[in-house]
Amino acid sequence: PGLSLVGASGPATEVLCLLNMVTPDELKDEEEYEDILEDIKEECNKYGVVRSIEIPRPIEGVDVPGCGKVFVEFNSVLDCQKAQQALTGRKFSNRVVVTSYFDPEKYHRREF
Amino acid sequence: LEDERRRKRRSRWAGGEHEKIFIPGMPTILPCNLSKEQEEAYLLQLQIEEVSRKLRSGDLGISPNPEERSPSPEPIYSSDGKRLNTREFRTRRRLEEERHNLVLRMQTINPEFKPPVDYNRPPVIRVSD
């Protein structure tokens, strides 16, 4: 839609942002949230060492930043690149996974 | 009980590392400097394209495993005895509705947005379940 994205992923970092993967609705349920977290952790661990994962969950009446996205912090930029190559375009809950690198400083400040 | 739940549970990931969805003109790697609006518009566009692809190709994502399907409603037949609310019919209707909602949302962000050529507003008359 008027956006040229070809070859413009920006510099690689050690934090991968996964989009189009979860809906705020799915994250409301405790059991479903735990399952989603487990699925993502398990798959990401195949491509590198996962240091931390953040999945912002909805809060009634609050516009939670980053809700609907998943952030995975890897041990190294290389691990993160490997995971991006492996995961982008895959299907998760029947949705196409979209990825982008994320600024680690923003990640640690939880500026999602 | 917890163990049993874990065993029964299927991963939400489908296929292996090499089974990917390619949507022409829509890369799945985004730059990190998109505005929130650009990002949302891009994801909406991607979802609209994906639903359109399913509807056009007839690959509706219906699981071949009956255990993974939702229970069927009571059948509804036409006057000449043909079943109207088949699973394919119901899935197509759901996808059309999903696309309709995506297009509406997209048009609030980008009033210039042109929906896919095969997009029709869902008809008001419908077969009820």
Side-chain angles (χ1 to χ4, degrees):
Chain A
L3 271 175
S4 178
L5 299 172
V6 182
S9 80
T13 67
E14 61 267 33
V15 179
L16 190 62
C17 176
L18 302 161
L19 306 100
N20 202 35
M21 212 169 154
V22 294
T23 63
D25 243 13
E26 293 168 342
L27 300 171
K28 276 185 202 155
D29 183 72
E30 192 60 37
E31 203 168 278
E32 201 167 359
Y33 166 79
E34 294 289 338
D35 278 356
I36 287 170
L37 183 64
E38 190 60 31
D39 281 346
I40 295 169
K41 207 186 285 175
E42 207 175 288
E43 192 67 22
C44 285
N45 267 318
K46 293 182 187 169
Y47 309 104
V49 179
V50 174
R51 219 186 259 167
S52 63
I53 297 183
E54 291 286 347
I55 308 178
R57 294 179 73 181
I59 301 166
E60 192 76 39
V62 180
D63 186 16
V64 178
C67 192
K69 297 182 187 178
V70 174
F71 301 87
V72 186
E73 184 198 15
F74 288 90
N75 223 4
S76 70
V77 175
L78 192 66
D79 281 3
C80 188
Q81 284 175 307
K82 276 194 270 180
Q84 180 178 58
Q85 286 308 313
L87 301 180
T88 203
R90 288 269 302 278
K91 280 214 150 183
F92 187 85
S93 301
N94 224 8
R95 287 186 281 266
V96 185
V97 174
V98 173
T99 59
S100 75
Y101 292 117
F102 198 78
D103 181 351
E105 289 190 13
K106 279 192 189 167
Y107 175 78
H108 291 297
R109 288 199 299 262
R110 303 180 59 89
E111 285 173 26
F112 298 137
Chain B
L1 207 93
E2 180 73 358
D3 278 355
E4 197 171 333
R5 189 172 73 82
R6 293 262 167 237
R7 242 188 331 231
K8 266 193 187 162
R9 203 173 65 77
R10 286 172 54 254
S11 171
R12 286 163 176 76
W13 293 100
E17 206 183 317
H18 303 289
E19 277 173 65
K20 297 200 171 187
I21 306 297
F22 288 102
I23 299 171
M26 305 232 63
T28 58
I29 294 183
L30 300 188
C32 37
N33 57 357
L34 295 185
S35 70
K36 282 211 180 338
E37 266 192 358
Q38 285 177 314
E39 193 180 271
E40 188 183 358
Y42 191 79
L43 294 179
L44 283 168
Q45 170 90 19
L46 187 86
Q47 288 162 353
I48 292 167
E49 292 295 326
E50 172 66 357
V51 174
S52 299
R53 186 193 64 81
K54 285 183 186 168
L55 287 166
R56 266 177 233 138
S57 69
D59 172 17
L60 302 174
I62 297 172
S63 171
N65 180 359
E67 279 183 23
E68 287 171 16
R69 299 187 202 142
S70 59
S72 298
E74 286 295 311
I76 296 169
Y77 298 100
S78 65
S79 53
D80 57 350
K82 243 179 84 187
R83 182 164 175 193
L84 295 176
N85 59 345
T86 59
R87 186 169 298 273
E88 178 172 345
F89 175 87
R90 287 180 286 124
T91 306
R92 279 189 176 276
R93 195 187 57 187
R94 188 176 49 73
L95 289 170
E96 291 280 7
E97 275 179 11
E98 188 183 323
R99 182 165 66 170
H100 176 60
N101 290 328
L102 291 167
V103 167
L104 289 184
R105 173 80 193 126
M106 184 66 140
Q107 283 170 337
T108 63
I109 301 180
N110 175 11
E112 309 275 282
F113 176 73
K114 299 267 181 298
V117 282
D118 55 343
Y119 163 79
N120 297 306
R121 278 175 158 273
V124 181
I125 306 154
R126 50 182 59 170
V127 179
S128 70
D129 286 340

